[in-house]
């Protein structure tokens, strides 16, 4: 999608602070963080929102969630964290490329 800001981040056309990347997903820091750690986990495949997923996306969705748990631990969110997926205008979605927010405060060691 040429006019999608998150696709542009995937294609490295615009910069982002990348936390993790593989062939199927990209994880980067939210540009306006609402917590000490605020990550966005996105599929590289352009999917407009959660409402646009199909049965074909089941494995991908599972991988995004599983990576969320791994990264939350890596970022020190061992006390817990919030995950959020805004879907559609009514759900407060502003960027129409499926993304999962991870928000939390690292636990001091
Ligand atoms: P949502 O309301 O769920 O669509 O959230 C979109 C999120 O994307 C917001 O928290 C924005 O701060 C974030 N965002 C928008 N543009 C960028 C960008 N270029 N780099 C990182 N995060 C962004
Ligand atoms: Zn996109």
């Amino acid at each position: 999608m040429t006019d999608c800001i998150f696709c542009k981040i995937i294609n490295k056309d615009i910069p982002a602070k990348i936390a993790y990347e593989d062939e199927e997903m990209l994880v980067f820091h939210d540009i306006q963080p609402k917590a000490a750690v605020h990550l966005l986990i996105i599929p590289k495949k352009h999917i407009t929102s959660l409402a646009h997923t199909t049965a074909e996306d089941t494995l991908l969705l599972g991988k995004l969630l599983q990576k969320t748990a791994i990264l939350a631990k890596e970022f020190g969110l061992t006390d817990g964290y919030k995950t959020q997926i805004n879907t559609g205008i009514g759900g407060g979605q502003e960027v129409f490329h499926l993304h999962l927010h991870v928000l939390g405060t690292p636990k001091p060691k």
Side-chain angles (χ1 to χ4, degrees), residues 28-88:
F28 53 97
H29 294 262
D30 197 293
I31 205 165
Q32 287 186 294
K34 291 177 182 67
V37 173
H38 186 171
L39 299 172
L40 297 174
I41 295 168
I42 70 172
K44 285 191 170 174
K45 172 185 174 186
H46 179 89
I47 303 173
T48 301
S49 80
L50 188 63
H52 293 77
T53 58
T54 69
E56 257 183 39
D57 302 312
T58 303
L59 183 58
L60 176 61
L61 289 167
K63 287 180 180 177
L64 297 175
L65 280 175
Q66 222 278 314
K67 188 55 74 176
T68 297
I70 291 168
L71 286 172
K73 195 174 174 188
E74 283 181 12
F75 275 84
L77 308 182
T78 49
D79 249 358
Y81 47 91
K82 289 180 186 171
T83 53
Q84 188 170 332
I85 301 175
N86 297 330
T87 303

Side-chain angles (χ1 to χ4, degrees), residues 1 4 6-7 46 97:
M1 276 274 285
C4 169
F6 284 179
C7 283
H46 179 89
H97 179 127

